[in-house]
Amino acid sequence: MLSSIEDFLRYFSSINKRTMRDVAALPPEADGWKPPAGEGENSWSVNEIVAHVAASRGFFASAYRAEGWIFPEFPDVSSREQWVPALERSEEAFREALQDTPADWLQRRVPLVDTDNTVRGWRVLMMMTEHDIHHRSQIDTYAGLNSWDPPQIYGRRYEQIEQIQDAQRAQYRGAAQG
């Protein structure tokens, strides 16, 4: 459970850093790439996904601030060089919008956009975080499909961990028996 907006913003900063890392690692050929088939969100180019992620932060901030579920203008990310700066600016704007909000807003009820239901403020913030991660994963999937070698979240590939499994088993079986 979140207890302060400062804690959440610190956490979100780490999410944004990973998103920027993955977007920055994309090669030039990712600029404008889109799936060969699909409709709507399933057919968005990498550029469109980056714009959507950047703008959606304002969408969730607006809802959290009880100003409605309203998207800000999408940033211009028509070229790869604009992707990371757009994500940086959107994090700054998000931080500005939330940094001075009272801690009790984390617990207040926020109406959902398309139903009569409400959720707590902290849940709106977590929805935004999950949304960011969802689209970062989408971009990373596109990278994998195109052999663009997406960065590893913890700096290790499965194959590296697999190579040390025998040593790990021996070490921890020995420790459990000792």
Side-chain angles (χ1 to χ4, degrees), residues 53-165:
V53 167
S56 67
R57 294 165 175 182
F59 175 76
F60 287 100
S62 177
Y64 181 77
R65 293 175 53 88
E67 297 168 349
W69 293 84
I70 300 170
F71 265 102
E73 186 174 322
F74 278 43
D76 178 9
V77 292
S78 55
S79 71
R80 183 176 172 266
E81 295 74 31
Q82 295 167 308
W83 296 350
V84 170
L87 293 169
E88 288 173 333
R89 285 189 306 274
S90 71
E91 181 192 10
E92 290 168 16
F94 183 75
R95 178 176 294 282
E96 280 181 27
L98 270 65
Q99 68 187 358
D100 294 326
T101 60
D104 64 346
W105 282 18
L106 291 166
Q107 295 304 318
R108 77 177 178 172
R109 305 300 296 191
V110 176
L112 291 173
V113 67
D114 57 355
T115 72
D116 291 335
N117 295 331
T118 63
V119 295
R120 300 256 184 220
W122 67 267
R123 191 166 300 277
V124 171
L125 300 179
M126 295 311 293
M127 289 166 64
M128 193 262 326
T129 303
E130 290 177 19
H131 180 264
D132 244 58
I133 294 166
H134 159 76
H135 285 297
R136 181 177 72 223
S137 297
Q138 184 181 15
I139 289 171
D140 288 346
T141 298
Y142 288 176
L145 289 170
N146 285 287
S147 299
W148 295 335
D149 201 24
Q152 298 300 306
I153 189 167
Y154 300 114
R156 295 170 192 83
R157 296 193 170 283
Y158 171 76
E159 293 81 6
Q160 293 169 296
I161 300 300
E162 187 178 39
Q163 290 175 353
I164 63 170
Q165 286 302 288

Side-chain angles (χ1 to χ4, degrees), residues 172-178:
Y172 287 95
R173 280 190 190 131
Q177 293 172 0

Side-chain angles (χ1 to χ4, degrees), residues 33-45 138 142 145:
W33 186 90
K34 65 187 325 181
E39 292 182 26
E41 191 174 325
N42 292 332
S43 68
W44 285 352
S45 69
Q138 184 181 15
Y142 288 176
L145 289 170

Side-chain angles (χ1 to χ4, degrees), residues 15-29:
I15 299 296
N16 186 55
K17 284 178 185 162
R18 288 191 289 276
T19 300
M20 290 190 309
R21 175 203 63 199
D22 290 15
V23 166
L26 293 170
E29 56 266 30

